[in-house]
Amino acid sequence: MLAFATPLQTGGGFLYWAIIFFVLAIVAAAVGARGVAGVSMEIARIFVLIFIILAVVALLL
């Protein structure tokens, strides 16, 4: 019966996408695309902040 149970926390993946955008920013900076690197770092920063906020809320509940 436990094989069909769904977890309480599904989806998300903000930390995964933050790492993806961080790696994209590093590659873009190495190639010389400073605009793409800046935008990618800003998106990664936002995803990390969302992850931290959701982690704190999950710990408090």
Side-chain angles (χ1 to χ4, degrees), residues 2-35:
L2 291 177
F4 298 109
T6 58
L8 294 176
Q9 297 175 353
T10 60
F14 287 106
L15 192 58
Y16 170 78
W17 284 107
I19 292 170
I20 295 294
F21 278 108
F22 180 70
V23 170
L24 177 66
I26 291 174
V27 170
V31 173
R34 293 179 54 183

Side-chain angles (χ1 to χ4, degrees), residues 39-54:
V39 170
S40 296
M41 280 303 293
E42 190 64 26
I43 293 172
R45 186 179 70 86
I46 291 169
F47 279 152
V48 167
L49 289 176
I50 291 172
F51 170 76
I52 290 171
I53 290 169
L54 290 177

